[in-house]
Amino acid sequence: MDLSSLFALNNKVAVITGASKGIGLSIAEFFAAAGAKVVISSRNQEALDEVATRLNDKGYDVIGVACNVSHPDELELLVNKTIEVYGQIDILVNNAGINPFCGPVHETSMELFDKIMAVNVRAPFELSKLCLPHLRKSSNASIINISSIGAITPEPQLGIYSVSKSALHSLTKVCAKEWGNHKVRVNAICPGVVKTKFSQVLWSNDQVMDSIMKRLAIKRLGKVEEIGALALFLASPAASYTTGSIFTVDGGYTS
C-alpha cells in the first residue's frame, strides 16, 4: 500500500485565510508540500507577497491575495481571484480570527461583540457559501474551520470569543450535514494554547500559564506544525469519510 497517496494534494487548490503567519502559514506550508496550489490571504498584501516569495523559492506554488474577511465584497474578490488564477477551489481553510477584547462578558461592548462575530462566524459562513459552487466540482472537497478550545471550555476573560467559536462549531456541523450530498466535507480544529502572536495574551501571563499547565496532560505549549499536520489529514483523501467532526489539538487540556 502506498500511504503517501493518502495524504497527497496534487492538482488541488486551497484557499487559506489568516495565512501570513502562525497557524495559517503552517497549514499553507503543509498543503504546498503535499502538492497543492495555495492561495494565502490576510489583510496585508506586502506581508503576503513576502511569504509567497519565500514559499515559491522552496518550489511551492503559492500566491497571496489581500482580504479583510469582515468585508463581504473582499471575500468575493478573493474567490474570484483564485478562480481567475487557478480555475478551481478544492479546499477552504477558515483560519482568520480576532479577539480584540480581554475581560468580563458584561464589559464587552456591542461594537466589539459585532466585530468578533463578523470575523469569527459571519466570514466563514459567507466564504464557505461563495466557495461552495466550486467545491461541488471537486473530487475531494474539504472545508476546515479553525476554532478554539474556548468553544468547549470557555477561556477566562475571553467570553465572547468563546461564544463565537461555539457558533462556529454549530456552523461546521450544519454545513457538514447539508453539504454531504454535494460531497463537501466540513470539519473543525480546536487548537489549545499554541505559541503564536494571536495567543500572546495567554502565554505571556505567568499566572494564566500556571493555571493552564496544571490542566495539561502534555506539559508544554502546542506547535503550529501540530495544527498543520491535522489540517493536512482533514484536507486529504485519508479523511474521505470524516465530516462534521470537531478535533482538539490541546495537549489534553479539555480531556
Side-chain angles (χ1 to χ4, degrees):
M1 180 184 295
D2 181 9
L3 294 180
S4 63
S5 64
L6 280 176
F7 299 94
L9 299 179
N10 297 325
N11 302 315
K12 302 301 181 185
V13 175
V15 176
I16 308 171
T17 63
S20 62
K21 57 183 180 296
I23 288 172
L25 175 55
S26 177
I27 293 172
E29 291 198 67
F30 269 84
F31 285 6
K37 300 174 178 67
V38 182
V39 179
I40 56 173
S41 181
S42 72
R43 290 178 295 177
N44 188 315
Q45 186 65 53
E46 185 177 344
L48 289 168
D49 290 341
E50 181 180 334
V51 170
T53 297
R54 188 165 75 246
L55 294 179
N56 289 332
D57 287 344
K58 293 183 178 182
Y60 301 148
D61 191 341
V62 179
I63 65 168
V65 179
C67 173
N68 184 330
V69 297
S70 66
H71 298 166
D73 58 327
E74 294 189 28
L75 293 175
E76 189 170 356
L77 289 173
L78 172 60
V79 173
N80 290 343
K81 182 64 175 180
T82 301
I83 297 303
E84 177 187 330
V85 175
Y86 292 122
Q88 66 191 70
I89 297 174
D90 304 278
I91 304 158
L92 169 64
V93 180
N94 288 305
N95 173 66
I98 62 165
N99 180 52
F101 178 73
C102 184
V105 166
H106 65 273
E107 293 181 7
T108 308
S109 69
M110 184 63 73
E111 180 182 3
L112 286 172
F113 179 93
D114 289 343
K115 187 174 183 179
I116 292 168
M117 292 297 175
V119 173
N120 295 355
V121 184
R122 191 185 72 194
F125 167 67
E126 290 289 346
L127 187 53
S128 296
K129 287 197 303 177
L130 288 168
C131 289
L132 181 60
H134 307 288
L135 292 167
R136 290 174 64 176
K137 301 174 185 177
S138 175
S139 61
N140 184 40
S142 176
I143 297 175
I144 303 166
N145 294 322
I146 305 301
S147 182
S148 167
I149 56 172
I152 300 169
T153 302
E155 299 175 86
Q157 307 297 302
L158 302 178
I160 299 306
Y161 173 79
S162 297
V163 169
S164 72
K165 293 302 187 177
S166 293
L168 185 60
H169 283 194
S170 185
L171 180 65
T172 298
K173 291 179 176 293
V174 167
C175 291
K177 282 186 175 293
E178 292 195 6
W179 296 349
N181 287 338
H182 302 307
K183 298 182 180 179
V184 177
R185 298 181 294 104
V186 190
N187 295 285
I189 298 175
C190 299
V193 182
V194 178
K195 195 168 185 179
T196 64
K197 184 177 180 181
F198 184 81
S199 64
Q200 187 172 357
V201 67
L202 298 176
W203 56 258
S204 64
N205 186 310
D206 290 340
Q207 184 177 355
V208 171
M209 282 307 301
D210 285 343
S211 175
I212 289 172
M213 284 297 172
K214 289 176 182 177
R215 292 190 56 173
L216 287 173
I218 299 174
K219 303 294 185 181
R220 64 169 174 82
L221 298 180
K223 302 174 184 178
V224 294
E225 295 83 2
E226 290 166 323
I227 312 303
L230 178 55
L232 175 59
F233 164 72
L234 292 174
S236 74
S240 59
Y241 198 55
T242 303
T243 194
S245 295
I246 310 296
F247 293 86
T248 57
V249 187
D250 64 358
Y253 184 88
T254 55
S255 62

